[in-house]
Amino acid sequence: MENKLLITNIQRMCFHDGPGIRTTVFLKGCSLHCPWCSNPENLRFEQDEYEKDGKKGIYGTFYDPQELTDILMKDRKFWRIGGGVTFSGGEPLMQAEALLPVLELLKKRHVHTAVETALFVSEKRVSEVLPYIDYFIVDAKLMDKDKCREILGGDISAYIKNVKLIDQKGKLKLFRIPCCSEFTFTEENRELLTDFLSGYRQTPVQVFSVHNLGEKKYQSLGKEMWRSNGVEQRQLDDFCNVLRKSGIDAEVNMI
């Protein structure tokens, strides 16, 4: 629907999606197809029928900008000082046009806004929302051009340009690396990540192992979930030490 946002969940009292206490909005649709994705309900840009525990339902509800803003503002008393609203997904910036009026309304009310993004979107979409977003949490995944396109369906050159853009505006606040032994945690990719992140030493990095907690969501959609071997805590700690030796502020995040 034109000028409406397609949303799967509005999650309250979040503590890991930006500073302070957050309300996180999950937008439907993604520009990538990461094998380890734990939110399959947010991959498609259309509503999805599901069946869970014998009950049928729909993933995805349409909201107009004012309606969503009014709902979010009801949470203001919980944000206290330093909290606010985070937009996640899927890839929230794929709905940048519909998201922009919400961001404008929130800015008028002096609400802190954050976005969790893989940044595999057009520069135009990033530029549209950039003035209204305070805090960018950016994924760092596969840095090899060919593997990024083949495995994720992403253009790494577009990603790199977008990272530079938000960094120049002083809004690049955090990198997150989803680690799986099969793809992102190979020796080659760890070296590429270290080289890339060394160009943004002022930005903290969180690393975490991918997980299989999305299995029931896949089952509800009648899909089979790809299973990763994950990465052990010790290996994550070792990688953080390598990053720190390159002057990068890195820590393990048990998301």
Side-chain angles (χ1 to χ4, degrees):
M1 295 184 182
E2 189 175 358
N3 297 325
K4 287 199 172 187
L5 291 144
L6 185 54
I7 292 168
T8 55
N9 191 21
I10 300 174
Q11 186 172 319
R12 295 170 170 85
M13 298 297 289
C14 301
F15 298 93
H16 302 287
D17 300 335
I21 300 173
R22 318 290 300 181
T23 298
T24 302
V25 182
F26 292 87
L27 280 72
K28 203 171 185 312
C30 192
S31 55
L32 301 180
H33 43 77
C34 304
W36 58 84
C37 181
S38 61
N39 293 314
E41 77 281 12
N42 288 330
L43 292 177
R44 286 175 16 99
F45 292 95
E46 297 86 23
Q47 293 176 312
D48 284 302
E49 294 183 357
Y50 71 84
E51 185 171 348
K52 189 187 307 181
D53 299 324
K55 297 180 181 180
K56 295 184 178 180
I58 298 290
Y59 283 128
T61 302
F62 288 99
Y63 294 84
D64 66 53
Q66 186 64 62
E67 178 187 13
L68 178 60
T69 303
D70 291 343
I71 292 171
L72 295 174
M73 291 306 299
K74 293 178 181 179
D75 294 342
R76 186 162 203 163
K77 62 182 179 180
F78 298 106
W79 302 331
R80 301 176 183 174
I81 298 173
V85 177
T86 299
F87 296 95
S88 187
E91 174 49 70
L93 298 187
M94 289 298 289
Q95 295 193 52
E97 184 177 353
L99 183 59
L100 183 57
V102 180
L103 293 169
E104 291 174 338
L105 289 167
L106 291 175
K107 280 294 104 183
K108 288 179 181 178
R109 292 160 173 78
H110 307 289
V111 176
H112 184 277
T113 54
V115 64
E116 294 179 324
T117 173
L119 278 186
F120 285 92
V121 297
S122 68
E123 185 177 338
K124 178 178 180 294
R125 285 193 167 102
V126 176
S127 298
E128 286 174 346
V129 301
L130 188 52
Y132 304 97
I133 294 176
D134 302 301
Y135 195 101
F136 276 82
I137 302 170
V138 178
D139 290 344
K141 301 181 181 181
L142 281 172
M143 301 307 298
D144 177 81
K145 177 181 178 181
D146 294 333
K147 290 180 181 178
C148 182
R149 186 177 296 280
E150 176 186 353
I151 296 169
L152 307 183
D155 180 356
I156 196 65
S157 63
Y159 169 83
I160 291 171
K161 288 179 182 178
N162 286 332
V163 170
K164 288 181 179 178
L165 176 61
I166 63 174
D167 181 58
Q168 289 169 355
K169 298 297 183 179
K171 296 185 176 184
L172 177 60
K173 302 299 183 181
L174 178 66
F175 282 111
R176 281 183 177 162
I177 305 175
C179 298
C180 62
S181 57
E182 299 84 354
F183 299 115
T184 59
F185 207 71
T186 63
E187 182 177 357
E188 176 191 15
N189 197 60
R190 292 200 306 273
E191 291 178 356
L192 290 173
L193 283 167
T194 302
D195 288 343
F196 172 73
L197 295 170
S198 293
Y200 299 94
R201 288 188 175 93
Q202 76 284 1
T203 304
V205 176
Q206 293 179 348
V207 303
F208 63 95
S209 176
V210 301
H211 51 72
N212 299 317
L213 298 179
E215 183 171 12
K216 288 188 177 180
K217 294 181 183 180
Y218 279 94
Q219 291 174 350
S220 73
L221 291 165
K223 296 181 179 180
E224 185 176 351
M225 183 183 70
W226 176 82
R227 288 183 170 276
S228 170
N229 293 325
V231 179
E232 295 179 0
Q233 174 80 33
R234 172 186 54 81
Q235 295 173 295
L236 295 174
D237 288 335
D238 289 345
F239 184 38
C240 282
N241 288 332
V242 171
L243 293 174
R244 292 182 193 121
K245 288 178 181 178
S246 294
I248 300 164
D249 179 11
E251 67 174 3
V252 177
N253 188 350
M254 305 305 292
I255 295 178

